[in-house]
Amino acid sequence: MTVIVRAVRPEDGAAAEGFARVRRAVLPHMISNAVALTYDLVHAAPEAHFVLLVAEQDGEIIGAATAAVADFSPTPGVGMANVYVHPERRGRGAGSLIVRAAEEHLAAHGVRSVFSWVLDEPGYRAFAARRGYQPRRAGHFLRLDLTDGALPPRPAPAADVTLATGADFADDPRPLFDLDAETIADEPSDVDVEFTRYEQWLSDTWRHPLASPELTTVALVDGRPAAFTLARTDAGTQYATVMTGTSRAFRGRGLARLCKSESLHRARSAGYTVAFTSNDADNGAMLAINGWCGYAIAATEVRYVRELG
């Protein structure tokens, strides 16, 4: 009945499937599957030292974790570790073992501050506190049922606004990278973020196996990309937006809401039955947009941090 922790290899499809199964049991509001996990493992930036860890007992994967250096941050020594233990397999020591393995991996690559998202539930928070983690900010997972016909009508674009899809940028997605880099820098966060590597963005975001160019929506003002929402879908009925933003020069015109609404309507028409998104708890503007669309909070996480050493 010994629990062992090991790294997932790209060729180990069974381990990737087990990882995905555990994470879905803990976070059903996050779209993911074994194909996406393996892709992330293979295509992560070398500087990230990204690893997937699994905790296994008698051949069954009962826990999982991601760990990576925050290579997207200008702040040195920052890393991320997110841990999941199957709800029906808690109390067997898997969480403690996999946290320790993730921290050791990060420490070996110069990380001093480890950030981790923890479900805002007493058991999860107590687990983090016992291991020396301190709470910071909160974030929400939001869910919207697309089968009940409750989407608000599409807003009418202004005369100088046209809507495009990500597919319209297939030959040159650089304008969407520029929008993503500008808007993510303004998102509330306790970790500074800078997108400066276009080729890595293409790999991480644009070419990701869950990315949906057809449902990604872009608002253009006089032909210039001004706002966008990036969409992902699984192989079934789930749809998610993973980033929505407006260029600073065009904020206050309702363009983000326009993009979200258009993408949601097209997702429903394409047969997707449930929509997910996530928000920092302090991002009032996006929470208001998502509330207008009909999303409701499905779960809350708290970001914890521990200083190593």
Side-chain angles (χ1 to χ4, degrees):
M1 297 294 287
T2 301
V3 177
I4 63 169
V5 174
R6 61 184 177 90
V8 177
R9 301 184 307 275
E11 66 273 15
D12 192 348
E17 289 283 359
F19 190 116
R21 177 182 56 81
V22 169
R23 187 158 71 176
R24 278 195 301 270
V26 178
L27 290 181
H29 320 295
M30 177 186 292
I31 293 181
S32 183
N33 56 34
V35 171
L37 287 165
T38 302
Y39 179 92
D40 292 340
L41 183 61
V42 171
H43 292 88
E47 300 89 347
H49 302 287
F50 179 73
V51 66
L52 299 174
L53 300 171
V54 290
E56 192 171 24
Q57 185 178 47
D58 293 338
E60 179 190 6
I61 292 174
I62 63 173
T66 60
V69 177
D71 65 307
F72 51 79
S73 175
T75 305
V78 174
M80 330 294 289
N82 295 309
V83 178
Y84 317 97
V85 176
H86 196 286
E88 297 175 2
R89 301 293 186 268
R90 294 169 64 184
R92 301 184 181 188
S96 297
L97 288 173
I98 208 163
V99 166
R100 186 183 312 140
E103 291 174 347
E104 289 174 353
H105 171 78
L106 294 174
H109 294 289
V111 169
R112 299 186 300 275
S113 301
V114 181
F115 287 84
S116 181
W117 285 108
V118 176
L119 277 172
D120 188 17
E121 298 176 10
Y124 290 98
R125 298 194 67 159
F127 177 88
R130 286 196 301 270
R131 283 149 187 82
Y133 284 79
Q134 300 296 319
R136 293 286 187 90
R137 65 191 318 108
H140 302 304
F141 289 103
L142 296 96
R143 185 184 187 279
L144 172 60
D145 186 348
L146 295 177
T147 64
D148 63 3
L151 285 179
R154 290 174 167 96
D160 59 346
V161 175
T162 56
L163 292 174
T165 72
D168 296 318
F169 292 83
D171 294 335
D172 180 19
R174 183 66 187 239
L176 301 190
F177 166 77
D178 292 338
L179 269 176
D180 203 3
E182 178 184 348
T183 54
I184 202 167
D186 293 340
E187 277 204 321
S189 179
D190 40 22
V191 177
D192 292 333
V193 178
E194 287 183 357
F195 279 178
T196 58
R197 293 172 292 172
Y198 177 55
E199 290 299 324
Q200 190 61 45
W201 178 87
L202 288 175
S203 179
D204 293 344
T205 301
W206 190 251
R207 298 177 185 140
H208 196 275
L210 300 182
S212 174
E214 297 79 14
L215 297 179
T216 290
T217 303
V218 186
L220 300 94
V221 177
D222 293 327
R224 172 184 169 185
F228 74 116
T229 189
L230 290 173
R232 288 187 175 185
T233 57
D234 67 2
T237 59
Q238 295 184 324
Y239 153 97
T241 52
V242 294
M243 181 61 187
T244 300
T246 304
S247 176
R248 297 180 189 106
F250 297 100
R251 290 174 187 169
R253 297 188 53 181
L255 298 178
R257 185 174 71 165
L258 183 68
C259 289
K260 290 277 291 197
S261 176
E262 177 68 19
S263 185
L264 280 166
H265 275 274
R266 286 192 283 109
R268 186 174 64 179
S269 296
Y272 293 96
T273 61
V274 61
F276 297 112
T277 193
S278 58
N279 274 155
D280 188 280
D282 291 333
N283 194 342
M286 277 308 307
L287 285 169
I289 290 171
N290 286 322
W292 175 85
C293 290
Y295 285 93
I297 294 174
T300 297
E301 289 185 312
V302 178
R303 198 172 218 179
Y304 278 70
V305 63
R306 181 187 174 208
E307 302 300 325
L308 300 180

